[in-house]
Amino acid sequence: NKLTDEFNAGVKLRYRQPDQETKVTVIDETTIRLDFKTKQRSVAIGQFAAWGRRWTAYQSVGNGDAVGV
């Protein structure tokens, strides 16, 4: 499957956290935007977000910006 510019996914910010309904927007090759349906608490700079069958992982670099790793 090829990534589209925008899709919905169940995203985890913590290992044991249930999937969180999220709209994922691919801005470019190194930037994504995650819009969670419900407010997330205690998201820290450098924290990872993961989703999908093969667990695509992205590392947050601050204030909602993220880069692929």
Side-chain angles (χ1 to χ4, degrees):
N1 278 347
K2 183 178 178 182
L3 283 178
T4 58
D5 292 335
E6 187 175 286
F7 59 94
N8 293 315
V11 175
K12 291 180 188 245
L13 297 174
R14 293 166 191 80
Y15 176 72
R16 292 180 185 223
Q17 178 184 32
D19 288 353
Q20 302 297 305
E21 290 183 49
T22 308
K23 180 173 78 172
V24 180
T25 305
V26 179
I27 307 297
D28 58 38
E29 290 182 10
T30 62
T31 308
I32 62 167
R33 177 184 170 107
L34 301 174
D35 292 300
F36 292 90
K37 184 174 182 179
T38 58
K39 185 175 179 177
Q40 303 298 300
R41 295 181 355 185
S42 304
V43 179
I45 293 172
Q47 190 162 343
F48 280 80
W51 65 88
R53 280 186 256 155
R54 299 177 119 187
W55 292 105
T56 303
Y58 284 84
Q59 181 179 15
S60 170
V61 292
N63 295 338
D65 295 332
V67 294
V69 293

